[in-house]
Amino acid sequence: MSESTKGNCVAKDSKTPSARVLFEKREEVISKFVAKVKSNVPAATPLNKPIIVNTIPLFIEKLAECLAEETREQSPIETTNFAQEHGGERARVTRFGPEQLLREYSILRQIVCETLEAEDVLDRRSLSILETSFDRSVQESMAAFFL
């Protein structure tokens, strides 16, 4: 069981502002994500919130941990298979096409960046980690989508 699933996410008390903010605002990020996906991804419109949310909470917590300077992780996919699960679920359980899976990640990236920018904590290091994390997660999700 990971630290985040036990409620001991390193980001919660991190000295890194971007990690703390993302962890603290994770529910707000998820709510915005659900609303924006429902209005911008046609295949998501009929879906219930739990199907849309899927593995996103784990991804956000792991992303916050990667932002924390106290960890050595550079990408959430280093310690969990959430990206493969997310891509596979989208292929099996929804009517998503690959372009809609990509759109979902784009929406989430935008919301995460806007959230950190609004708190003035999106520094160069954090942005680099976010870019790498999202890029690798998209690759893993797409590979699973096509399996």
Side-chain angles (χ1 to χ4, degrees):
M1 181 180 283
S2 77
E3 288 299 306
S4 59
T5 57
K6 289 192 269 183
N8 297 326
C9 182
V10 143
K12 180 180 178 183
D13 298 315
S14 175
K15 66 180 180 179
T16 310
S18 59
R20 279 193 322 274
V21 167
L22 184 57
F23 182 79
E24 290 166 2
K25 297 199 174 265
R26 66 194 182 284
E27 293 300 324
E28 178 183 324
V29 168
I30 292 167
S31 293
K32 288 179 180 180
F33 171 75
V34 170
K36 199 157 187 179
V37 166
K38 273 190 155 299
S39 66
N40 288 282
V41 180
T45 303
L47 299 178
N48 293 325
K49 182 179 176 182
I51 299 293
I52 295 172
V53 170
N54 193 262
T55 59
I56 300 303
L58 176 61
F59 178 53
I60 293 170
E61 283 191 23
K62 297 305 286 181
L63 196 55
E65 286 181 0
C66 290
L67 292 173
E69 293 177 26
E70 297 87 347
T71 67
R72 296 187 188 271
E73 291 178 42
Q74 291 298 308
S75 172
I77 65 170
E78 291 178 3
T79 58
T80 182
N81 65 346
F82 82 89
Q84 292 114 348
E85 286 182 36
H86 188 75
E89 288 278 318
R90 289 300 186 249
R92 291 187 309 275
V93 179
T94 71
R95 294 181 177 251
F96 275 46
E99 71 285 352
Q100 291 174 316
L101 179 61
L102 292 171
R103 181 72 182 125
E104 246 189 340
Y105 273 103
S106 176
I107 288 168
L108 185 58
R109 182 190 309 234
Q110 178 185 8
I111 292 168
V112 167
C113 288
E114 286 173 355
T115 300
L116 297 178
E117 285 173 345
E119 297 292 324
D120 200 27
V121 295
L122 185 59
D123 58 15
R124 180 176 259 153
R125 176 189 168 276
S126 297
L127 184 58
S128 176
I129 290 170
L130 290 174
E131 288 174 348
T132 299
S133 297
F134 273 97
D135 290 349
R136 291 184 66 193
S137 296
V138 165
Q139 291 167 4
E140 294 287 326
S141 285
M142 291 302 287
F145 184 88
F146 288 108
L147 286 181

